[in-house]
Amino acid sequence: MFININSGKDEVLQLVLIGQPELRDLVSQPNMRQFAQRVAASYHLTAMDLKTVRGYIPHRLQVAGAQKRIFTGPAIDLIHQVTRGVPRLVNQLCDLALVYAFTRGKRTVTPTTVQQVLDDGVFFSANAARYTSET
């Protein structure tokens, strides 16, 4: 009903939808045709290759205020391997690895730290990366 309240030349309501790949699938269904016709722009964030992840993680930390490199190269390689470069999963695994390092008094995240996160089973998305269609 929201999409039918625009009258004349003025747009009364503009919606921004952000979601998982399933949202795109939902909007693509035949019964959503009228809604899909009103989508002005669409973008799908794909998985990152190893080179991109190697730049992405340090960049995110630098923007957040990090003054030195926190993740070692091998740790980043392991993160890419486990997440297959899916940005949301990269962020989640990095967050957990940072917490693990901090609670252990470490200033650097190594593959050992990332592996501890994985071994403890707190990264619930580890299995999701294996089945993703985003790569």
Side-chain angles (χ1 to χ4, degrees), residues 1-7 34 38:
M1 296 302 285
F2 284 126
I3 58 178
N4 289 326
I5 66 172
N6 292 338
S7 60
Q34 289 185 5
R38 289 169 172 83

Side-chain angles (χ1 to χ4, degrees), residues 24-43:
R24 183 183 57 225
D25 296 341
L26 177 71
V27 172
S28 299
Q29 293 179 2
N31 63 337
M32 296 293 289
R33 182 178 32 116
Q34 289 185 5
F35 181 80
Q37 291 170 351
R38 289 169 172 83
V39 173
S42 175
Y43 183 78

Side-chain angles (χ1 to χ4, degrees), residues 12-76:
V12 179
L13 180 66
Q14 184 176 52
L15 298 174
V16 176
L17 299 175
I18 300 171
Q20 309 299 327
E22 294 81 9
L23 177 62
R24 183 183 57 225
D25 296 341
L26 177 71
V27 172
S28 299
Q29 293 179 2
N31 63 337
M32 296 293 289
R33 182 178 32 116
Q34 289 185 5
F35 181 80
Q37 291 170 351
R38 289 169 172 83
V39 173
S42 175
Y43 183 78
H44 176 68
L45 190 60
T46 59
M48 299 178 283
D49 61 17
L50 179 57
K51 180 180 177 185
T52 303
V53 173
R54 285 180 179 160
Y56 175 77
I57 293 172
H59 172 75
R60 289 279 310 252
L61 289 165
Q62 182 182 16
V63 169
Q67 308 254 330
K68 67 176 194 102
R69 198 160 180 95
I70 296 175
F71 285 79
T72 65
I76 292 173

Side-chain angles (χ1 to χ4, degrees), residues 75-86 89-90 93 114-115 118 123 125-130 132:
I76 292 173
D77 293 350
L78 179 56
I79 290 167
H80 178 266
Q81 176 187 346
V82 170
T83 64
R84 296 188 180 208
V86 176
L89 301 181
V90 170
L93 185 51
V114 176
Q115 191 60 54
L118 298 171
F123 181 57
S125 300
N127 290 332
R130 291 185 199 147
T132 185

